[in-house]
Structures are given as structure tokens and as C-alpha cells.
Amino acid sequence: MTINAYKRILMERLTEKRYLHSLAVADEAVRLAKKYGADPDKAYLAGLLHDCMKDAPKEEMLQTIERFGIILTDIEKSSPKLWHAIAGACFVRRQLDIEDGEIVRAIRYHTTARKDMSLLEKILYLADFTSSDRDYPGVEDMRKAVDAGLERAMTEALTFTIVDLAQSGHAIHPDTIGAYNQIMLQKAEA
């Protein structure tokens, strides 16, 4: 399938705002891939498709997840904001026939992160945080961190996420804690 074919599918599935966000994340993912030595083509495709299920009804997301045989954890069940990443990974494998496990995993973990992330997974996670359409308080600092170094940016992004979730009274996914702890332990050993 061509990039234009993927774009046509996304235009049918997403709101205009979400589609433009996907394009912005794809562009940022390419920039980061070139800066940090990842495959720019894979980065673009992962960025383009990362939110492919974001505007789908909750029932469709759950059906997609169920059809793929995934059993949601209690935290995932109580956090519908996480479903689009899980369902999106299923959708790109089953509906779009993307066999590249690295792209699928990058989409799957772009919301929670996880321990032992690949370079592409980190790039997508950070590109989603810092794409040109993002305007949350602190985004400029996050963009500076991304340009200063990938591990520094991951530390700041994970810290931001954990603090934000804790302050808003939400559960924190164990994958997020695992990613954070791994980075902190690596820093302590260095």
C-alpha cells in the first residue's frame, strides 16, 4: 500500500484536526529519526498511522482489541484514552497488513511507553509529545529536551506524564512506570 493510500484511509477515519495531527507527528518522527539514526520511512509511517483508531467509537476499539485476542488489564479497562493505541496496533496489522513489528509496537506503546523501547518506539512517543501542532504548557521545554538528547527527552516526557496522571487522580500504567524506572536505573549506573 502507498503512503497516499494510507492517507486516504486516515481521511475517512479521522477528524480533520486528528488527521493534521497525524501528519505533524509523521513529520516530527522523520526529523527525529534523521537526528538519532532511525529509519525515516518507518518513522513516517508509524507517525502517520499512530492515531488511526483515535476517532473510532469505543465499541469499535474494544471489538478490534477483542478480535485480536488481547485481554485488557484493569488499568487499561478503566482508561479508555489508552484503547486507541492498542486497537491501532491491531488495526494496522490486520486491516492494513503492516507486518513490521517495530512499527506495530511503536503504535502500540505511543501512549504508555514501556521498558526496553526500541529507537523507533522512543521517536514516535516523543514525536507525539512535540509535534508542531502541540501547544500544552511546557511544550517548548519538551522540544528543547528532544533536541538535546533522546534519553533526556524520554526522562522529561515520562516524568511529565507520571506527574500529570498522579495530579489528575488517574492510574499510571505499569508500562509507563517500567519505562521510567529503567531510565532512572540506567542513569544511576552511569
Side-chain angles (χ1 to χ4, degrees):
M1 201 174 288
T2 66
I3 291 295
N4 284 336
Y6 291 129
K7 287 180 178 179
R8 281 193 297 277
I9 291 167
L10 290 179
M11 282 189 261
E12 292 173 6
R13 298 188 60 79
L14 302 176
T15 63
E16 182 180 5
K17 181 179 179 183
R18 183 67 51 198
Y19 177 70
L20 293 174
H21 167 70
S22 296
L23 294 176
V25 171
D27 289 343
E28 179 66 358
V30 167
R31 187 183 79 79
L32 295 177
K34 288 177 180 175
K35 181 174 180 68
Y36 292 110
D39 183 324
D41 293 331
K42 283 186 179 188
Y44 187 85
L45 189 55
L48 183 67
L49 298 176
H50 81 286
D51 273 353
C52 62
M53 291 291 286
K54 184 78 173 192
D55 292 332
K58 288 180 182 179
E59 302 78 33
E60 182 183 344
M61 285 189 248
L62 290 173
Q63 287 172 357
T64 300
I65 291 166
E66 188 176 290
R67 273 198 310 271
F68 218 76
I70 294 171
I71 298 169
L72 297 176
T73 66
D74 289 340
I75 289 176
E76 290 163 347
K77 287 177 191 172
S78 69
S79 304
K81 286 185 174 189
L82 301 178
W83 297 354
H84 77 280
I86 301 165
C90 299
F91 181 83
V92 299
R93 283 197 64 205
R94 183 159 285 166
Q95 302 300 121
L96 302 182
D97 295 321
I98 293 177
E99 298 285 329
D100 190 312
E102 193 175 18
I103 292 172
V104 174
R105 283 186 301 278
I107 291 168
R108 166 63 182 87
Y109 294 103
H110 83 269
T111 54
T112 60
R114 71 178 181 122
K115 185 178 176 187
D116 298 324
M117 292 176 84
S118 71
L119 179 59
L120 181 63
E121 288 174 80
K122 291 176 184 178
I123 284 170
L124 180 58
Y125 183 78
L126 294 170
D128 192 26
F129 246 91
T130 60
S131 61
S132 62
D133 62 313
R134 293 292 194 192
D135 65 354
Y136 59 87
V139 70
E140 289 306 324
D141 291 335
M142 196 65 69
R143 288 180 179 132
K144 287 176 189 169
V146 165
D147 284 334
L150 204 58
E151 295 310 311
R152 175 181 162 195
M154 284 300 298
T155 301
E156 290 193 26
L158 289 164
T159 300
F160 179 95
T161 299
I162 290 166
V163 169
D164 183 59
L165 289 169
Q167 287 178 342
S168 61
H170 290 93
I172 301 167
H173 198 287
D175 286 339
T176 307
I177 300 295
Y180 177 83
N181 285 343
Q182 183 177 44
I183 289 174
M184 291 300 106
L185 290 171
Q186 288 170 346
K187 280 184 175 186
E189 293 169 1

